[in-house]
Every structure is written in structure tokens, then in C-alpha cells.
Amino acid sequence: MRVASLGNGNLLVNVDEKGRIIDLYYPYVGMENQTSGEPVRMAVFSEGVTSIDDEWKVDVGYLDSTNMIEVKQNLEKMKLSLLTYYFLDNEENTLYALIKVFNGTNKKRDVKLFFINNFNLYSSPFGDTGFYDPITQSVIHYKAKRYIGVKLFSTSSFTEEYQISKGDLMYDVYDGKLDGGTIANGDVNSAVAVNLTIDAGSFSKAYFTLSFSRGLEELRRMLRKVNFAQVETSFTLSYMFWKNWLSKSSFKFNDDKLRKLYNISLLTVRNHMDARGSMIASSDYSFVKVYADSYQYCWPRDCAYGAYALEVSGYRDLVNRHLKFAECLPSSEGFLYHKYNPDGTLASSWHPWVMDGKPIYPIQEDETALPIWLMGAHFKNGEDIDEIEKPYKKFVKGSMKFLMDYMEEGLPRPSFDLWEERYGVHTFTVATVYGALQNGAIMARAMGDEVLAEDAIEVATSLKEVAMKKMVYNGRFIRRIDEKGEKDLIVDASMYAPYFFGMVKPDDPVMMKTIQEIEGKLNVNGGIIRYENDFYQRRKKQPNPWIITTLWVAEYYADLGKIDKAMEYINWASRKAIASGLLPEQIDPETDEPTSVTPLVWSHAEYIIAINKVMKV
């Protein structure tokens, strides 16, 4: 399981429950996992005995809720313990590990620390080269334009032993000595070791670093700078930077757990955001080995929610970064596709281009509407016309026209739903289109497009009128109108959307009845499932509650002014975070264990949004 993550916009690192580095995404956040999900293994040798990382008792968390991972590893049988701090350089693409090795005995001891690397450059094990570089006293792995430099050293010496060869090198640590192969190619592994002499009841420090570059000379430049003084200085600077970065929030939390989860949520959203503006749904690579695909994509919907969470938290510069990415995504027709890779190219999809022998757009229309809604919310918050000029011209204007043209009998034409399962006209989609046209009209008016602004308002007004006639049943909203034109009466948590995107007020009788239905039929052990009889990742008799759906109801009650009720759902969600503070997509209704990816950026985004609504009432 992935239990903690770090990111700097070019490099994203995940650490597993054993405290090991397991995912290394570079040079795009979420694209090309240079480990293919294989952990960087650790071992310790002392007094003729070797101990391997999977034998250790481990605790992983964030250091004072900053973007620095703290790992405590206890080697009970050896009477040793390790305290490791992982952090990233915000300027250079280097991962640092500052390691304290504690001697729990009453005598001086010699201890050897090993790191064993199984990199797969370009996410492939074929055609790699690894060699020992005497110039930088490091092990370097490379293939084409992907270079990783490995260093392990103490305050007195650099890498003292190394081994580079094909195959598993774990066997080579059991005798406490690496054989010293200097180069290998193909499916290459490497191991490095450093010797420490530790006084009784004291500790010694070691430093493990991974540096990433697209070329050898640049990597060597980076590696020459890496020494223990530089790591120690970077540790202090990183700690202060993240403390200051998180200080934008002036909320006074009565519960320290809520504050910590709020900070970790902000960090999780930022860590999953690329320097070029994309934002992946999750960095959890475990799905790849099960389904041959993953959540490491940029869904425009997930991105819009993630960026909106940053907007309401005051991180407008990051929102601008995402808008620059989003402005380049629309098709020539003005719509956005299902999902994108972090570099902006089209990602894998299961939406067909033909249905019943007729061509269709393979889209979820809400994913075109939500970025427009986001841009409008961003503009309303800052009213800086310079920030929206390019996105408006390159994206908003054309996509607004698409939304207005893609109508039939007063409602959006059919597309796929936000759950990516059903085709039809969905209440969620209708609400997002309404919100997009309203916010788009504000931007159009600011840009001088009065005609477009008036047209958008007219279409949005008509859309609401038709929706309130055709998409309401028995006093509450329906999930969708299906392919046959029939009303789908299944209760779905996404029916919260008409209130959230401004189509109706929270106290509108139809909205209130809808939320009552959601709570009455979708509440499972305090959390909210997606919809009745949901089978996705289901393991038990009842469906799995989701974090996002539960927090939707919390947001509704916050906007209704019922803070105590909102806090019931927020507290439920906070209790479902794993020990380190990461929120999963969904949980087992009986054991509370995550049943899908961890973390899910959207879960953390909704937590941020919900907290902001509660705190600002």
C-alpha cells in the first residue's frame, strides 16, 4: 500500500507501508514510473546477522504535517532502529533521505546499511545500463534521456560498496558484502552500502539520495553538489518552506486531527500536480499490476475539483498553472475527451465512438463544463482579466459555444456520466453545464463578448426551466434520462450537483427532498455510497462508502447553515484516512480498509472544500 507521497512538479515519490520508496515518477508527475512499482529495498548487517526491511516494525507519517515523510523502523532482534526523513529538493530533481541509525545496546557496534535498486527506466526493464561513476562516487542508471544517480554516504565517507548486475541482488546482502560489479546492461539492478560505527546508546547518520536528469552531464553536475552538509541544509530549508507554505490558512481548528488532515490534503493535491499544470487522479501504481491500467491520468473533472480546492484555499498561482494546461486540451469541436496523460496527450479510454451503429462523441460532457466553471470561479475570486485572457480565447469561448450547441429539446444531448458507466442525460451533467454557462457569461462579459454572455445566460435559464420539468420525479431530482428517454429513478449521490453548481438554492424543496433521499437510501455505516446497489470494488453485502460522496452531503449542510450536521460527515471522512493521513477513494463498509486507490486526489480536494465551507460560515 502507498502510505505517503512527495512531489515537486517534475518528480513524484511514493513510500509504502514498510517505509520503502516504491514509485518514482519522472519527468512528468504520474507518467513513467521509473520503478514500475518495485520498491527500493533496504537491509542492515551487523555482527554477522542480516535483517531485511520486510521484517521490521514500521510507522510512516508526515513530519509535523509538512511535505516531508518521517519513517520509523524498528529492528527488534538486532536492537537497532532507523529514523528516516524523506524530502525533495524544490529546485533540483533530487530525493533526499536523512537516516539516523540508533544502537540500542550498551556497546559500540559496526553496522552496514544497504539500499537495493530495481529501476525500470521508461517503465520498462529492457535496455537499461547501470555503472559506477568514479567522478561523482555514485551509481548511475540510464536509458536514452532518463538518468538516475544513486548515492549512499555518511558524514565521513561516500558509497563504500556497490554491486551492479542483472537479476535480484537481495541474495548479495546476506553475507554482508557486495561483490563490486562496475557495469551491466539489460534488466539492471544495483545495490549500495555504507559502514557506520555507532557508540553504545547513540546514533550515526547516513544519507541516501536519488537524483534525476535527462542527460549525463547535468546529472553529474547535480551529483557533485550532493554531500552531507548540503542534505542537512536542504532539510532545514525544506521544513521551513513547507511550514510557511501551509500558513496561508488562518482557520482555527478545535480538533488537531482535522488541521493535520487539512494540511496533508493540501499537500496531496499539490504533490499530484505537474509543473506544467496537469493533475493526476492518483499515483497509486498497484492497480497497474491488477488491471493493466491505472489512475495516473488527468481527468478534467478531477482536475477541476482539485484546482477549485486550491482556489478556495488561496493558492491561486497553482490554479493559474492548471488553467494554462487546460487551455490546450479542447478538441477542434470545443469539447474535452475522457482523460489525458500528464503531458497533455490523449489517454486510454473505454468510451466508444459508435453506439447502435451511429457515431457519437466519446465524452462525459461535464468534463467540458467543469473547467469553464472553474475558470469562472477563479475570475470571480480575483477579477484579474489578465489571468483569464488566454484561457478564455483558447478554451472558454469555443467550449461555451459547444455546450450551447450540444443541446436537444432544452437539455444537453446524451453523453457518459461522471461514474463512466452510463449513457444518457444526467442531472450531474445538466448542473455542471448550467454552472459553466453562468460562470462563462461572467468571463465573456469581462472580455467584451456581450452577445455570447447574453446567449449563455439565455441558454442556462432555459436549461434550468426544462430540467426542473423533465428531471424531477416525486419532488426530487432523478439520476438521468436514459438512452430510451425513460427516467432513471435510482438514487445517486451525484444528484447533489444542482445545488453545488448554483442551479437551485440549498433550501429549494426539490433539493432538500433529493438530499433526504440520498441520506435515506445511500447511507452505509455513516458514509454515503455512490448509488443504490453499487458493485464497483464491492467485497461485502453492502456497497462501499466513498469519501467524495460523503463530503458532498457535508458541503450541502454547511451551505444550508447546519454546521453540526456537516461536521458529522466530515468527521466520518477524517476517520477513514489511513494512519499517515491519506484518504482513499472508497472503504470496506465493515473493516474501513481502503478497497481502491490511496490516495485519491479528489477525496482530498472535497475535504478541503468541505472544511472551507464549514469554517467560513
Side-chain angles (χ1 to χ4, degrees):
M1 178 187 288
R2 280 69 179 163
V3 298
S5 62
L6 300 171
N8 70 358
N10 300 307
L11 176 60
L12 188 149
V13 181
N14 281 333
V15 170
D16 69 8
E17 76 279 5
K18 290 294 182 180
R20 306 173 300 196
I21 300 163
I22 191 166
D23 298 317
L24 293 167
Y25 296 97
Y26 172 84
Y28 292 93
V29 167
M31 193 171 178
E32 294 180 32
N33 187 351
Q34 309 299 346
T35 68
S36 293
E38 296 296 328
V40 174
R41 301 295 304 275
M42 299 173 66
V44 170
F45 178 83
S46 181
E47 300 173 335
V49 177
T50 300
S51 182
I52 307 299
D53 52 26
D54 56 12
E55 304 169 356
W56 306 343
K57 184 178 179 180
V58 182
D59 180 60
V60 182
Y62 287 89
L63 176 62
D64 296 339
S65 303
T66 64
N67 211 19
M68 306 175 80
I69 298 172
E70 181 180 64
V71 179
K72 299 175 182 178
Q73 295 163 312
N74 189 359
L75 292 63
E76 294 178 346
K77 293 181 179 179
M78 299 187 74
K79 295 185 177 180
L80 291 169
S81 62
L82 279 63
L83 177 61
T84 302
Y85 297 105
Y86 290 108
F87 57 101
L88 287 174
D89 193 311
N90 282 333
E91 300 297 328
E92 304 269 27
N93 293 314
T94 296
L95 170 66
Y96 300 111
L98 190 160
I99 308 156
K100 294 182 178 180
V101 183
F102 292 85
N103 175 8
T105 69
N106 58 5
K107 61 179 181 179
K108 181 183 289 189
R109 300 173 68 183
D110 291 326
V111 175
K112 185 177 290 186
L113 178 63
F114 297 87
F115 281 83
I116 304 94
N117 312 295
N118 181 15
F119 300 131
N120 292 304
L121 303 182
Y122 288 99
S123 300
S124 168
F126 306 110
D128 292 359
T129 298
F131 69 96
Y132 178 75
D133 180 25
I135 295 175
T136 58
Q137 296 179 289
S138 63
V139 171
I140 293 176
H141 291 248
Y142 75 90
K143 178 165 58 187
K145 293 184 178 181
R146 302 292 180 264
Y147 288 76
I148 303 178
V150 183
K151 274 193 169 185
L152 176 61
F153 52 95
S154 65
T155 55
S156 59
S157 63
F158 280 95
T159 302
E160 296 173 314
E161 293 182 20
Y162 54 87
Q163 170 70 9
I164 305 164
S165 67
K166 298 180 180 180
D168 187 3
L169 292 182
M170 288 301 296
Y171 74 89
D172 207 30
V173 306
Y174 282 100
D175 63 0
K177 184 174 176 59
L178 299 177
D179 293 337
T182 60
I183 190 168
N185 70 296
D187 184 2
V188 178
N189 292 347
S190 69
V192 290
V194 67
N195 292 294
L196 304 170
T197 299
I198 312 174
D199 290 333
S202 186
F203 69 88
S204 290
K205 288 184 179 181
Y207 307 88
F208 177 70
T209 67
L210 297 175
S211 298
F212 297 76
S213 181
R214 297 181 188 230
L216 179 59
E217 294 309 312
E218 171 65 12
L219 181 68
R220 279 176 160 168
R221 180 195 66 76
M222 296 167 64
L223 291 170
R224 288 190 189 100
K225 293 168 55 179
V226 175
N227 56 56
F228 80 88
Q230 187 247 2
V231 177
E232 293 281 359
T233 299
S234 295
F235 176 86
T236 302
L237 293 176
S238 293
Y239 181 84
M240 294 307 300
F241 172 83
W242 290 113
K243 276 292 187 183
N244 290 330
W245 188 81
L246 290 166
S247 67
K248 281 192 177 185
S249 171
S250 59
F251 297 149
K252 294 182 179 179
F253 290 91
N254 295 324
D255 188 335
D256 192 51
K257 291 181 180 179
L258 295 180
R259 178 190 62 78
K260 288 181 179 179
L261 184 53
Y262 184 79
N263 286 345
I264 290 171
S265 293
L266 287 170
L267 294 171
T268 301
V269 174
R270 172 166 175 152
N271 288 341
H272 287 71
M273 189 175 193
D274 190 85
R276 290 140 290 241
S278 72
M279 188 187 299
I280 60 171
S282 178
S283 56
D284 187 341
Y285 196 77
S286 61
F287 257 45
V288 173
K289 298 188 177 183
V290 179
Y291 299 102
D293 214 335
S294 67
Y295 281 48
Q296 285 111 245
Y297 298 114
C298 171
W299 275 264
R301 173 179 49 256
D302 296 50
C303 286
Y305 275 100
Y308 183 68
L310 294 172
E311 177 70 33
V312 298
S313 304
Y315 296 92
R316 291 178 55 81
D317 55 330
L318 295 178
V319 181
N320 283 326
R321 182 189 301 178
H322 174 64
L323 296 183
K324 290 179 181 179
F325 173 80
E327 71 185 26
C328 301
L329 298 181
S331 67
S332 58
E333 295 96 329
F335 63 78
L336 272 65
Y337 285 101
H338 181 185
K339 50 192 169 82
Y340 298 83
N341 294 309
D343 63 355
T345 55
L346 200 59
S348 63
S349 177
W350 50 88
H351 291 331
W353 295 61
V354 177
M355 183 174 287
D356 297 328
K358 298 179 180 179
I360 63 169
Y361 288 135
I363 64 171
Q364 303 161 36
E365 192 183 0
D366 68 273
E367 293 201 295
T368 300
L370 281 167
I372 299 173
W373 167 81
L374 167 69
M375 292 182 193
H378 182 66
F379 176 67
K380 287 191 292 184
N381 196 27
E383 295 188 349
D384 187 341
I385 199 168
D386 289 327
E387 289 182 340
I388 67 160
E389 182 182 9
K390 283 188 65 178
Y392 177 82
K393 292 178 178 178
K394 294 182 67 176
F395 170 38
V396 173
K397 187 172 184 177
S399 293
M400 283 179 65
K401 290 180 178 179
F402 170 79
L403 294 179
M404 290 188 287
D405 291 341
Y406 197 64
M407 291 278 185
E408 191 172 71
E409 297 181 359
L411 292 173
R413 292 178 186 174
S415 67
F416 292 95
D417 68 337
L418 80 161
W419 305 130
E420 308 176 327
E421 297 171 341
R422 294 168 187 82
Y423 195 69
V425 180
H426 314 279
T427 290
F428 183 87
T429 302
V430 169
T432 61
V433 170
Y434 178 88
L437 293 178
Q438 290 286 356
N439 281 2
I442 294 171
M443 292 185 284
R445 189 162 285 117
M447 293 295 298
D449 276 343
E450 291 291 343
V451 174
L452 181 61
E454 290 176 6
D455 287 346
I457 293 297
E458 182 179 342
V459 173
T461 301
S462 174
L463 173 62
K464 176 181 176 179
E465 291 175 355
V466 175
M468 296 304 288
K469 293 177 181 178
K470 294 185 176 182
M471 306 203 73
V472 174
Y473 173 81
N474 197 23
R476 54 91 167 176
F477 287 108
I478 62 171
R479 172 160 69 173
R480 64 168 176 154
I481 297 173
D482 67 19
E483 303 95 316
K484 298 178 181 179
E486 301 293 330
K487 290 183 177 181
D488 182 345
L489 302 182
I490 294 294
V491 175
D492 191 308
S494 68
M495 294 173 348
Y496 96 111
Y499 123 78
F500 189 82
F501 297 104
M503 196 169 83
V504 298
K505 300 289 185 182
D507 60 357
D508 183 286
V510 175
M511 194 68 246
M512 296 181 76
K513 180 72 177 295
T514 302
I515 294 296
Q516 288 173 9
E517 288 285 295
I518 289 172
E519 288 188 285
K521 294 187 177 181
L522 304 185
N523 190 308
V524 173
N525 296 338
I528 303 298
I529 63 176
R530 291 194 301 172
Y531 50 80
E532 295 176 84
N533 207 30
D534 182 8
F535 274 96
Y536 180 58
Q537 298 296 329
R538 184 167 169 177
R539 300 175 181 177
K540 302 292 171 57
K541 183 178 180 180
Q542 293 179 300
N544 300 329
W546 283 47
I547 302 297
I548 62 169
T549 51
T550 303
L551 291 171
W552 285 344
V553 180
E555 292 160 18
Y556 170 78
Y557 279 114
D559 283 333
L560 200 61
K562 296 185 177 182
I563 302 304
D564 290 343
K565 187 70 173 177
M567 287 306 303
E568 289 180 17
Y569 288 107
I570 289 174
N571 287 328
W572 181 92
S574 67
R575 291 194 298 270
K576 307 312 170 187
I578 63 174
S580 63
L582 296 185
L583 288 168
E585 178 184 66
Q586 51 183 298
I587 58 113
D588 185 298
E590 297 178 14
T591 66
D592 284 352
E593 295 176 349
T595 58
S596 185
V597 294
T598 304
L600 184 74
V601 171
W602 194 355
S603 294
H604 285 281
E606 294 291 358
Y607 186 84
I608 294 166
I609 294 167
I611 288 292
N612 272 271
K613 284 183 177 293
V614 166
M615 292 295 188
K616 291 180 179 179
V617 170

